[in-house]
Every structure is written in structure tokens, then in C-alpha cells.
Amino acid sequence: MANVILLTGFDAFGGDAVNPSIDIVRTLDGELVAGLKVVIEQLPCEFASSTRRLFDALERWSPRLVLAIGQAGGRADLSFERVAINLIDARIPDNACAQPIDEAVDPDGPAAYFSTLPLKRMVAEVRRQGVPASISYSAGTFVCNQIFYALQRRLARYSEQIPSGFMHVPLLPAQAALRAASGQGIVASMALAQMVLGTRIALEAALRDPDFDAAETEVSEGQLS
């Protein structure tokens, strides 16, 4: 494995002109985190091509850790997803105008895969440093969940011990303002700088020596729900 962290983010979708997930990863591109270089991949918000782009990036980089990131309107914090389900049920079309309903991500795959990141440790440290964060138990059924499931399945099938998972992030303030102006009401948002900070902290916590893991026990699972 190369000494790199792979971060992925998505194109804008659903009528938005921007997507905070790709802004976050572009900001972190090339940084050193815990001695590892951050490399990035921009994924299309399309069911048909996003997984192929992800797998190409995994082959190209052979990373030590993978964190895929996506936008989730309505979330108020950095939401670290615990489980990906084997279901696509798109409420809106993707960027290629595809809208699969009640389909499996992988017809031959199990019902679900779990994140292999140390989520409690990551969330506890992000919160400790002042950035709102939580563990989420639903990654939805759109392209984000598909990528999360495909990532975990690919690494599990090849028996690669690479910590990996998915994080949803809130809208940017400008996106929330546009929704409010269009009559959709007040929507939660977070500044890009805070999202970048929280992502960096989470990566550092994920890569910390597990034998020195005080933060893992700072917050109980009930407090992280």
C-alpha cells in the first residue's frame, strides 16, 4: 500500500451549483495528515459511472485509508455513516437522468456492510475540538450509499485491511440561503472551513495508534446516536 489517504467527493447534483463534498477534498488535496499524503478523486453523481471511477482510484493509489464524502441536505453536522445497505431507491434522478427504484447495488452481495473506520474515536475527537459530529445509521439509498456499499464490498472481497467508510456533510451557507429564498424554509448548514477542519481532525483520529485510544471511551454509543 502507498502512504496515501484517498478522499472522494461528488459533483454538484439536484439543481445545486456546488457540492461541499468536493470542495472539502479539493482543499485537503496534497496535505500531509499523520504522515500520509491526501490524494483525491472527484466522483460523478451518477449510478452507472461513479463506482467505476472509485475502483480506478483504488487501483491507482492503493491507499492506506479511504474516506468517501457526500452532501446531505438537512444534516446539521458531520455525519459518519456506520452502515451501507444493498439498495438503490432514488428519490430524484442522478446527473445522467437515471432513477433506479428498488434495485440492488450488487445482486450477489450481502444485505449490508459496515464502516471499518474507528467511528467513535473520530466523532469524539471532532466534537472535542468544537466541530459538530455524530454517527449516522442511514446513508440513504442514492448514489452516496451506493458508493459506500461498493467501497466496503470491494475491499472486503479482496481481503484488504484498509480502514474505509463514508461521511455525509451539511449544505454550505450559500446553498441553505438559496433554499430559504425559494420558500423551502430554514435548512441547516456549515461553513466550508469548519467542515475541512472536522475532516482533518477525523482523519488524524482514525490514524492514531490504537494502543493510545483514550478518546474511544470518552463518549458512549448512546451519546453518539
Side-chain angles (χ1 to χ4, degrees):
M1 290 186 289
N3 287 324
V4 300
I5 299 166
L6 175 62
L7 300 182
T8 71
F10 284 103
D11 295 339
F13 70 98
D16 282 319
V18 296
N19 187 323
S21 69
I22 192 60
D23 291 341
I24 292 166
V25 303
R26 284 174 177 161
T27 302
L28 291 168
D29 188 19
E31 282 197 18
L32 288 178
V33 177
L36 303 181
K37 182 181 179 180
V38 173
V39 298
I40 70 169
E41 186 70 26
Q42 182 167 342
L43 303 180
C45 191
E46 299 176 4
F47 290 104
S49 59
S50 56
T51 300
R52 183 171 62 253
R53 186 80 62 86
L54 170 66
F55 290 173
D56 287 347
L58 291 172
E59 291 292 333
R60 182 166 66 253
W61 294 111
S62 297
R64 294 275 298 278
L65 181 147
V66 185
L67 178 64
I69 306 175
Q71 168 189 305
R75 302 284 179 102
D77 60 10
L78 303 186
S79 299
F80 294 86
E81 300 294 347
R82 191 158 197 178
V83 60
I85 61 173
N86 193 5
L87 175 66
I88 299 172
D89 195 23
R91 65 176 181 82
I92 61 172
D94 69 6
N95 285 353
C97 298
Q99 191 173 5
I101 302 295
D102 291 335
E103 294 186 9
V105 177
D106 186 336
D108 298 319
Y113 279 101
F114 288 93
S115 172
T116 54
L117 294 168
L119 298 182
K120 292 182 184 179
R121 184 198 317 166
M122 294 164 73
V123 169
E125 186 62 20
V126 172
R127 285 179 172 180
R128 189 183 72 80
Q129 298 198 42
V131 179
S134 66
I135 291 178
S136 166
Y137 297 89
S138 175
T141 54
F142 198 53
V143 185
C144 287
N145 175 75
Q146 175 189 257
I147 283 295
F148 183 18
Y149 184 96
L151 171 64
Q152 302 310 109
R153 178 156 174 74
R154 195 274 186 203
L155 296 180
R157 289 180 71 183
Y158 286 86
S159 299
E160 297 185 36
Q161 301 300 310
I162 301 172
S164 57
F166 196 96
M167 177 179 73
H168 270 120
V169 298
L171 300 177
L172 294 164
Q175 292 175 287
L178 285 173
R179 281 163 170 72
S182 67
Q184 297 180 44
I186 302 300
V187 181
S189 66
M190 185 181 292
L192 177 61
Q194 192 171 33
M195 289 193 265
V196 170
L197 174 62
T199 304
R200 187 184 294 113
I201 294 167
L203 293 173
E204 291 171 346
L207 292 162
R208 192 174 62 227
D209 184 348
D211 293 330
F212 184 72
D213 201 15
E216 184 76 40
T217 58
E218 285 182 12
V219 184
S220 69
E221 182 160 354
Q223 292 172 299
L224 291 175
S225 62

